Amino acid sequence: QVQLVESGGGLVQAGGSLTLSCAASGRIFSINTMGWYRQAPGKQRELVATITTGGSTNYADSVKGRFTISRDNAKNTVSLQMNSLRPEDTAVYYCNADGRRYFYESTSEFWGQGTQVTVSS
């Protein structure tokens, strides 16, 4: 199985910064796109940012210019630097990756347990 473990969540005041980190471990043949999603209370889970193995990034309009995603392919880790945080960024943030456990398997999607980010006004 592939495990994704997030760290770095917490409570921060509006305008502050946080960095989320996620490490993939376990039985891994390959990891392709990695990313971050978030889910606020009463809302659907939404994409925050993704990054391919080649470094191509995609961001939700609401976080462009404030959040930066990066990854270390050799270590199978992905980070999310969050600046100028707003109360509306409050959510549980989930790490996501698609990849294969074995060379003969098709690509699967993996999720972390989530880490809470709370931004106070």
Side-chain angles (χ1 to χ4, degrees):
Q1 189 55 283
V2 175
Q3 294 87 37
L4 300 180
V5 179
E6 304 107 334
S7 61
L11 173 65
V12 65
Q13 288 189 329
S17 299
L18 279 176
T19 300
L20 304 183
S21 298
C22 173
S25 63
R27 188 64 186 90
I28 298 172
F29 173 74
S30 65
I31 294 287
N32 304 319
T33 300
M34 300 186 79
W36 292 92
Y37 290 71
R38 67 186 181 186
Q39 187 168 18
K43 295 188 176 181
Q44 289 189 329
R45 192 173 296 189
E46 63 177 5
L47 178 147
V48 176
T50 61
I51 184 168
T52 67
T53 51
S56 296
T57 58
N58 179 47
Y59 293 93
D61 287 342
S62 59
V63 307
K64 283 180 181 176
R66 301 187 298 123
F67 291 10
T68 302
I69 190 170
S70 61
R71 68 185 286 174
D72 184 327
N73 291 331
K75 297 181 179 178
N76 288 324
T77 59
V78 62
S79 296
L80 185 70
Q81 174 67 43
M82 305 184 293
N83 299 325
S84 303
L85 282 161
R86 305 167 179 166
E88 53 264 40
D89 294 318
T90 295
V92 177
Y93 284 70
Y94 296 91
C95 180
N96 171 271
D98 63 73
R100 290 187 287 167
R101 297 177 301 169
Y102 302 95
F103 72 94
Y104 52 81
E105 276 194 346
S106 56
T107 299
S108 299
E109 194 171 32
F110 305 102
W111 291 92
Q113 299 272 33
T115 185
Q116 177 70 47
V117 171
T118 302
V119 184
S120 63
S121 56

